[in-house]
Structures are given as structure tokens and as C-alpha cells.
Amino acid sequence: MPDRVDALVPFSPDRPKTRLSDTLDPAERREFAGAMLTDVLAALRAAGFAPRLLTTEATGRDVPETVDDRPLTPAVNAALDAHGPGPGSPLAVVMADLALATPRALARLRGDGEAGTDAGDPADVAIAPGRGGGTNALLVRHPAFRVDYHGASYLDHLRVARRIGASVREVDSRRLATDVDEREDLVEVLLAGDGAARDWLVDAGFRLEAGDGRVSFDRMRD
């Protein structure tokens, strides 16, 4: 495994988190998405990745970026084509809304400390599935593997791997499985986050509220 592994982080600053429109206004969604991206980039760097943004428009951040306004699947596949993943040159794809991601969780995506990886025979594809059947993070070593992010992409990616004869390692991690898309996901950030995304929610007036059932949140406004 190289000392630092390239990691692609797809990000759409022009249309972020539309499913949170009942909770955050457009400017707030942009700010919150930016805070989550800050956390993901910091965690990647600390885990030994070299992140690059795959963005629909230039962000001005202090990180290399590729601007591609196509849908996610063709944009990521074009990046895989350009990178040419292989055993000595893996490429990770990590979503920008993993507000709970930590360096330790992302090190598991790399395979650091995982059983079998020290023997020099890591899996061709490592997959961290999302809770709803999506794919929140990948690490690709097989040159023929390409993504398909439509629908239950986790199952689609398993099928792609089987078709090309690629070995697969699943990364079972709550922190990588939690992508922040829905209102209830904000509770997870308030409960377990410790970075810019949680700080943004707290500064915006969000507070945990424990009732008789599940923990929820309320928002204090000036």
C-alpha cells in the first residue's frame, strides 16, 4: 500500500442537500455541506489519503479539484479512467457528507490493520455501504472496476465486482455508513460528530431533545 492513497471526494456546491430543504434554507444547506466537506477532508488527510475534489463548480478550497458537471456515475468513472487504478495505485471514492467519518474508520477502508491485508493480498475493491443500500466509500485496486451509483448501488457494485472477477472486502462501519441526507440524520451528527459539521449545527441553534421515544432535535432561534 502506498504511503498516501489518492481519494476522490464528489461534491456539488451548487445544489447541496436538497432533501434537507424542510429544515435548512438554501444558504444554510450550502454552509452545512461545506462544513461536512471540511470534516471529510480532514479525516482523509489524517488517515493517509491525498484528497481531490470532484466538483460541479470550482470551490476555491486549498485542495486539488477536478470540475465535472456530469452526473455522479460518469464523472467518477471518468476519474477512474484517468487514474488507472491497480494494486500499486489504488483510488478511493469517499462521499462528502460523511460527517461522522474519522481517521480510524477511513484507515479501515485503506485496509490498515485489517485481517489478511498485511499478507500482501488486499481485496481488489473495498466497499463501505450506506444504511439505505448506497455506497458511501470505495477503494478500488482493480483496473476494470467502474461505478454505478443508481439505486441500491452497493448491490450493483457487488455485481460489477463479480462480473470482472474482483475480490471484495466490505467495511462494516457505522461512521462510514452514516451519510447525512435526511432530517433525522442531523441527530446522528449532534450525537456522535465532533467536527465542523456538529459545530455548525450547534451554532445554528440545533439541540438534542430526549423524549419518551427516540432522541430528536429542536432548534433555538434568536
Side-chain angles (χ1 to χ4, degrees), residues 16-215:
K17 300 293 120 188
T18 55
R19 282 187 279 176
L20 289 173
S21 58
D22 60 344
T23 305
L24 302 174
D25 66 33
E28 289 175 329
R29 295 200 305 273
R30 285 192 293 271
E31 291 176 6
F32 182 55
M36 289 193 291
L37 175 62
T38 294
D39 289 338
V40 169
L41 294 175
L44 281 167
R45 291 187 180 106
F49 289 91
R52 169 181 290 275
L53 287 183
L54 178 63
T55 179
T56 54
E57 61 182 41
T59 68
R61 287 190 175 243
D62 185 20
V63 61
E65 57 184 30
T66 298
V67 176
D68 191 330
D69 62 1
R70 288 178 293 179
L72 182 61
T73 294
V76 171
N77 282 336
L80 284 166
D81 289 341
H83 182 86
S89 58
L91 179 66
V93 184
V94 178
M95 295 301 138
D97 59 356
L98 304 186
L100 303 188
T102 61
R104 182 177 181 182
L106 288 164
R108 292 183 58 202
L109 182 71
R110 278 181 55 120
D112 296 355
E114 291 287 316
T117 59
D118 293 336
D121 188 25
D124 296 320
V125 182
I127 302 179
R131 293 174 302 175
T135 303
N136 286 356
L138 286 165
L139 192 141
V140 181
R141 295 182 177 89
H142 196 290
F145 185 87
R146 295 298 181 267
V147 299
D148 183 354
Y149 283 107
H150 300 99
S153 63
Y154 166 65
L155 297 177
D156 293 334
H157 290 145
L158 292 180
R159 284 192 285 269
V160 171
R162 284 196 297 269
R163 186 173 69 245
I164 64 174
S167 59
V168 174
R169 177 173 59 88
E170 181 176 332
V171 181
D172 184 7
S173 166
R174 173 201 174 204
R175 290 189 170 273
L176 298 185
T178 304
D179 49 323
V180 180
D181 284 318
E182 309 286 352
R183 178 182 172 88
E184 56 268 24
D185 297 331
L186 301 182
V187 174
E188 297 298 322
V189 180
L190 289 168
L191 281 170
D194 62 357
R198 185 183 186 279
D199 290 346
W200 188 94
L201 290 174
V202 171
D203 290 344
F206 288 88
R207 300 290 185 273
L208 289 172
E209 190 172 80
D212 294 333
R214 294 186 61 180
V215 175

